[in-house]
């Protein structure tokens, strides 16, 4: 089983939250980071007066431990399906969140709990497992 990580999980890991550190070790090789989330993490770093420490953590503690996934044509296809369905149903959701869901669907990944909580309707489209449960 592989997992697509979101910004909250990655930032908690970078803050050295113990449960996340253990889970990163437990699921080594099966954690995937979308480029969308990587961009958010870089924005977090560059929003600081001195981004260098956080940039080092991102590059040395995170990127080395995960596989990077782009928003590619397969994800774009899934995005179109989800977004179109949401538009027809009158559901409004942040586009970046839908892009994360699209990457997960295109690569057949399980969602982490935080993404599902923010994209309630996606849980109806695909299954998910809570990777934080031991």
């Amino acid at each position: 089983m592989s997992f697509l990580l979101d910004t909250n999980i990655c930032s908690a890991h970078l803050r050295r939250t113990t449960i996340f550190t253990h889970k990163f070790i437990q699921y080594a090789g099966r954690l995937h980071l979308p480029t969308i989330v990587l961009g958010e993490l870089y924005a977090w770093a560059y929003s600081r007066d001195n981004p260098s420490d956080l940039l080092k953590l991102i590059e040395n503690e995170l990127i080395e431990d995960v596989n990077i996934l782009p928003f590619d044509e397969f994800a774009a296809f899934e995005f179109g399906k989800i977004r179109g369905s949401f538009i027809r149903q009158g559901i409004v959701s942040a586009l970046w969140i839908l892009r994360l869901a699209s990457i997960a669907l295109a690569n057949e990944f399980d969602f982490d709990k935080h993404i599902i909580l923010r994209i309630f309707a996606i849980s109806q489209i695909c299954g998910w497992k809570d990777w934080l449960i031991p």
Side-chain angles (χ1 to χ4, degrees), residues 33-53:
L33 180 67
T35 52
I36 295 165
V37 172
L38 184 57
E40 291 173 354
L41 295 172
Y42 280 129
W44 176 36
Y46 283 108
S47 69
R48 296 173 167 219
D49 290 333
N50 182 2
S52 61
D53 289 341

Side-chain angles (χ1 to χ4, degrees), residues 14 37 58 62:
L14 293 172
V37 172
I58 292 168
L62 182 64

Side-chain angles (χ1 to χ4, degrees), residues 10-24:
C10 294
S11 62
H13 175 63
L14 293 172
R15 288 185 179 115
R16 308 274 191 224
T17 306
T18 306
I19 187 170
F20 293 107
T21 301
H22 291 298
K23 293 298 181 180
F24 269 67

Side-chain angles (χ1 to χ4, degrees), residues 63-98:
I63 291 178
E64 291 183 3
D65 293 338
V66 299
N67 301 305
I68 305 295
L69 286 178
F71 183 82
D72 60 13
E73 66 272 15
F74 301 108
F77 176 78
E78 293 296 340
F79 174 81
K81 286 181 7 184
I82 296 168
R83 178 85 170 114
S85 172
F86 277 25
I87 289 170
R88 283 192 320 274
Q89 297 175 55
I91 298 171
V92 177
S93 184
L95 296 180
W96 69 269
I97 296 174
L98 294 179

